[in-house]
């Protein structure tokens, strides 16, 4: 995702029927502006549309899923 100061990333790898989210990164200048939450929401929604389960391994994604239990698998 393009931000004001660069790119925000949500990194995952597929493992069977799961996408394992391992890292989220936002440019330092853009932290606290909601980019990471927007990015993770879109990535998790895309995961669901593709028919995969979600496995959070990144601390940001773990916290996001705790706040949004509809993504719990």
């Amino acid at each position: 995702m393009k931000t004001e100061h660069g790119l925000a990333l949500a990194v995952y790898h597929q493992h069977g029927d799961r996408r394992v989210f391992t890292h989220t990164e936002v440019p330092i200048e853009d932290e606290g502006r909601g980019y990471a939450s927007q990015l993770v929401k879109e990535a998790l929604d895309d995961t669901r549309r593709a028919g995969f389960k979600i496995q959070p391994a990144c601390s940001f994604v773990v916290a996001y899923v705790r706040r949004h239990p509809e993504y719990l698998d």
Side-chain angles (χ1 to χ4, degrees), residues 1-6 8 25-40 42 60 64 67:
M1 158 186 278
K2 187 162 175 40
T3 68
E4 188 175 334
H5 295 99
E25 185 175 326
V26 173
I28 292 171
E29 302 88 352
D30 290 321
E31 288 180 358
R33 296 183 181 184
Y35 286 115
S37 292
Q38 181 181 351
L39 175 65
V40 168
E42 290 177 17
F60 186 88
Y64 186 91
R67 289 189 313 272

Side-chain angles (χ1 to χ4, degrees), residues 7-41:
L7 291 177
L9 307 170
V11 179
Y12 68 84
H13 66 273
Q14 291 202 201
H15 185 71
D17 66 344
R18 298 182 173 276
R19 284 186 179 166
V20 181
F21 288 83
T22 58
H23 183 68
T24 305
E25 185 175 326
V26 173
I28 292 171
E29 302 88 352
D30 290 321
E31 288 180 358
R33 296 183 181 184
Y35 286 115
S37 292
Q38 181 181 351
L39 175 65
V40 168
K41 179 189 183 322

